[in-house]
Amino acid sequence: MDDKLVINGGKPLSGEIHVSGSKNSAVAVLAAALLCEGVCVVENLPTIEDVVVLKSMMEALGAKVELDGSTARIDASDINRYHAPIELVRKMRASNYLIGALLGRLGRAQVGIPGGCDIGTRPMDLHEKGLRALGASMALVRGEYVCNAKNLIGAEIYLDHASVGATINIMLAACKAQGRTVIVNAAREPHVVDVANFLGSMGANIKGAGTDTIRIRGVAHLHGSRYSILPDMIETGTWMAIAAATKGDITIRDCVPFHMESVSAKLEEMGMYVEEGEDYLRVKGTGRPRPVSITTMVYPGFPTDLQQPFAVLLSVASGHSVINETIYESRYKYIDELRRMGAEVRVMDRIAMIDGVEALWGTEVSATDLRAGAALVVAGLMADGTTSISNVKYIDRGYEHITEKLVSLGADVRRIREG
Ligand code: EPU
């Protein structure tokens, strides 16, 4: 049984909103806490489904995890199991972080091929290349990675693509390896820096996170620490899109405007008003967006995770826009749903060509993945009439209290249990 979101669109959303902690940091930081032989307290966690699933996986490995609102207390002193439950592993891509963390902690890991949003092939070759370079053996046996490392030894690893997951996984294992590891062409996303800072707070020696070369000197032990997760840049960008889409006026508090520069620049190109403060952004929708081109790129380029909400915004632009999705080959599944709402979009491989229409209309649509779900929320908020979005479980994976937050900004939205 899944819930539906029912939105009566066409209302400008305005007011203040607080951004939750970053999903993509949270799932990596929690896994990283398995490396610690003491107690870690992690604050500002988003209360989302992925955090709950990861907590269950960590408990199955022998960690004690207490979750109290946005704070987790993790005691991984006695972890003794290395086989992650396959049915939970399949639920999220971030399960792959258990491989690096368990190799670093126990020298063994058995973790299934991770699941996650269906947005294209999501290979693990760069994770494998990096962990093997550190001396781990990795065999794929009946859909699970069986990994062993008597000793992890530092190495120089070049990533053919600046993969977020591979960079983090290698960092997790390398901070307990003997000697020095260098990751060349590392991902520079803010959540990579957040994980490095968390590891540093436990005593790891990591330099260069946030640049394309990360240097790690392994240490024998990591100690307990208290750490607060970074604000979520994708949630921030989603509120920015919502403000522009509804011709509203939203002040987004507790965010990091510096992380949002590519997004702010695009909104300004569309003719929207964007005001940047130290820890807030204010976005005002000024009318129909001007058409623009967007190419998704690794950070600090325009994030692939915001491609969908921004495509919705461009579906009512005053002309022809083009999106080039360079990170995932099939992140356009939501376009069929958007067409039901009146959008005129043609997709050829990784290119989406959008002819702006005057307005979208509400109808019944279904979320196909997390960010596609967010995009349909943006569409429902700006559409004429009522939009009913099913498969809300995808949205719950990444957006905390989405209904309550929308209502606080004046949206006419309610959540109903199907059936
Ligand atoms: N790739 C490879 N080989 C690998 C790993 C990745 O070819 O071994 C390719 C992928 O196929 C993809 C590209 O590299 O084309 C990017 O993958 P990356 O490893 O950077 O992504 P990820 O770690 O699997 C994280 C986020 C995603 C986000 C991407 C890109 C988490 C848990 N997930 O995924 O977030 O889209 O980075 O920024 O951090 C989301 O939040 O909705 C989401 C999907």
Side-chain angles (χ1 to χ4, degrees), residues 15-298:
E16 290 199 355
I17 200 83
H18 291 264
V19 172
S20 306
S22 159
K23 166 183 97 73
N24 290 344
S25 276
V27 289
V29 162
L30 287 176
L34 293 176
L35 284 163
C36 166
E37 286 154 45
V39 173
C40 288
V41 176
V42 181
E43 295 168 347
N44 201 32
L45 287 166
T47 46
I48 53 171
E49 191 55 29
D50 276 14
V51 165
V52 175
V53 173
L54 194 51
K55 170 182 183 284
S56 303
M57 279 195 271
M58 293 166 72
E59 286 170 339
L61 296 168
K64 296 186 191 78
V65 186
E66 288 163 24
L67 201 49
D68 181 9
S70 61
T71 301
R73 183 183 184 279
I74 304 135
D75 182 354
S77 321
D78 298 324
I79 63 161
N80 48 14
R81 290 188 286 276
Y82 59 87
H83 188 180
I86 185 92
E87 66 284 2
L88 297 178
V89 165
R90 298 287 306 147
K91 289 192 172 186
M92 58 196 278
R93 173 74 176 174
S95 326
N96 60 31
Y97 295 140
L98 296 175
I99 302 178
L102 288 170
L103 279 175
R105 180 66 193 281
L106 301 176
R108 298 184 80 167
Q110 187 169 340
V111 180
I113 297 175
C117 288
D118 181 12
I119 50 182
T121 51
R122 300 182 80 178
M124 289 282 289
D125 57 319
L126 299 173
H127 299 244
E128 291 179 38
K129 171 178 165 176
L131 295 170
R132 286 205 178 101
L134 296 176
S137 66
M138 286 180 80
L140 196 51
V141 183
R142 293 194 190 91
E144 290 185 292
Y145 285 102
V146 178
C147 314
N148 283 288
K150 266 213 173 85
N151 291 306
L152 290 167
I153 315 266
E156 179 157 332
I157 299 156
Y158 168 73
L159 295 181
D160 302 275
H161 175 89
S163 153
V164 170
T167 303
I168 292 177
N169 229 343
I170 295 166
M171 276 199 313
L172 295 178
C175 64
K176 295 289 293 294
Q178 288 167 30
R180 197 173 78 131
T181 297
V182 183
I183 310 175
V184 181
N185 196 29
R188 291 182 284 165
E189 269 69 3
H191 27 292
V192 173
V193 181
D194 211 27
V195 178
N197 288 341
F198 173 60
L199 291 166
S201 77
M202 295 195 292
N205 183 345
I206 303 177
K207 298 212 161 54
T211 74
D212 57 13
T213 306
I214 301 180
R215 293 184 168 78
I216 304 155
R217 202 164 269 290
V219 296
H221 298 285
L222 294 177
H223 53 73
S225 89
R226 177 176 278 270
Y227 191 78
S228 183
I229 300 275
L230 182 86
D232 195 308
M233 63 181 285
I234 307 303
E235 189 197 344
T236 305
T238 307
W239 293 118
M240 293 169 83
I242 287 174
T246 63
K247 303 186 181 71
D249 181 355
I250 302 181
T251 300
I252 305 153
R253 297 271 172 208
D254 305 324
C255 64
V256 184
F258 175 68
H259 294 159
M260 306 309 301
E261 291 198 341
S262 62
V263 179
S264 299
K266 273 298 151 196
L267 281 172
E268 283 173 341
E269 224 178 295
M270 290 179 204
M272 303 299 157
Y273 172 85
V274 181
E275 182 185 316
E276 268 189 37
E278 186 90 339
D279 64 351
Y280 76 88
L281 278 163
R282 179 176 173 204
V283 178
K284 266 206 280 187
T286 49
R288 233 179 140 179
R290 287 200 287 265
V292 298
S293 299
I294 294 179
T295 298
T296 62
M297 296 168 97
V298 294

